[in-house]
Amino acid sequence: SAVISQKPSRDICQRGTSLTIQCQVDSQVTMMFWYRQQPGQSLTLIATANQGSEATYESGFVIDKFPISRPNLTFSTLTVSNMSPEDSSIYLCSVMKGSGSLGTGELFFGEGSRLTVL
Amino acid sequence: DAKTTQPPSMDCAEGRAANLPCNHSTISGNEYVYWYRQIHSQGPQYIIHGLKNNETNEMASLIITEDRKSSTLILPHATLRDTAVYYCTRLSSGSARQLTFGSGTQLTVLP
């Protein structure tokens, strides 16, 4: 398994500000992802955090709005920039562990960071 | 085009088996089916996954049809603590190993 710690667990932010969410894993992992879960909705993948290179963003998400760092195999940050009320969501860090040619590992999630933008 | 389709909600009596269906008719041959659940205000929890054979673990059983176009998650003896949103997902293979979540099924276990 994997123990994933996210900080902050929740925050209330003002419009126009930026917030950085940290994700710490208790062991080295190759694959790390950031998801967003808007109120009452399912999870949407924001990006794959790549160690040593730029993150890979999904359609609808851009680096200027959601810059991601991945300095090593146990840590990543997601910044939500220039926030608006529409950014109010739970942001979840996840990691994939396990092996196999088809990547049949389990995806473990942190408890999420609940952001409210006023 | 939803990658997985699930009923939005289901009820189940405590102690009975909960059978949660999922349609994934466009699944490709090397994509796995994964099931997760999310209890309110918590991160999603892994339940089980499979490719084409039926799978069982301590939490649940997964039945995948022979054509792989649908699957059913079975909780053999549902408890009140199994009340959660259950997500059926597909794992893309190769370098882009991502899980894409659908809308999920809200399972309510009734006393």
Side-chain angles (χ1 to χ4, degrees), chain A residues 31 33 35 37 41-43 45 48 56 58 92 96 98 100-112 114, chain B residues 30 32 34 36 38 41-46 49 51 87 91-104:
Chain A
M31 311 208 70
F33 307 92
Y35 284 82
Q37 188 171 30
Q41 302 296 312
S42 181
L43 288 80
L45 180 64
T48 302
T56 304
E58 296 301 302
L92 296 125
M96 183 167 286
S101 59
L102 294 180
T104 58
E106 295 180 26
L107 194 69
F108 296 93
F109 286 84
E111 290 304 311
R114 183 183 296 270
Chain B
N30 57 5
Y32 280 66
Y34 275 69
Y36 283 79
Q38 188 174 28
S41 297
Q42 297 182 18
Q45 176 191 21
Y46 166 84
H49 74 280
L51 181 63
Y87 293 102
L91 177 67
S92 58
S93 60
S95 60
R97 299 174 194 172
Q98 306 166 351
L99 280 172
T100 302
F101 286 78
S103 55

Side-chain angles (χ1 to χ4, degrees), chain A residues 3-78:
Chain A
V3 177
I4 303 170
S5 302
Q6 280 188 238
K7 292 182 182 178
S9 58
R10 59 178 63 231
D11 207 340
I12 299 173
C13 308
Q14 296 299 316
R15 181 195 299 261
T17 63
S18 299
L19 182 77
T20 296
I21 302 167
Q22 298 180 1
C23 177
Q24 179 73 54
V25 189
D26 67 341
S27 58
Q28 292 186 342
V29 293
T30 303
M31 311 208 70
M32 186 177 284
F33 307 92
W34 286 97
Y35 284 82
R36 180 176 74 180
Q37 188 171 30
Q38 295 177 301
Q41 302 296 312
S42 181
L43 288 80
T44 301
L45 180 64
I46 298 173
T48 302
N50 301 309
Q51 196 264 330
S53 64
E54 192 172 284
T56 304
Y57 290 85
E58 296 301 302
S59 175
F61 297 96
V62 295
I63 187 171
D64 289 346
K65 176 67 175 177
F66 298 100
I68 289 170
S69 77
R70 179 90 190 271
N72 56 51
L73 293 178
T74 64
F75 186 78
S76 177
T77 67
L78 168 74

Side-chain angles (χ1 to χ4, degrees), chain B residues 35-39 43-45 47 59 81-82 84-86:
Chain B
W35 282 82
Y36 283 79
R37 72 179 182 184
Q38 188 174 28
I39 297 171
Q45 176 191 21
I47 301 174
M59 289 184 67
R81 286 179 291 183
D82 291 322
V85 178
Y86 286 77

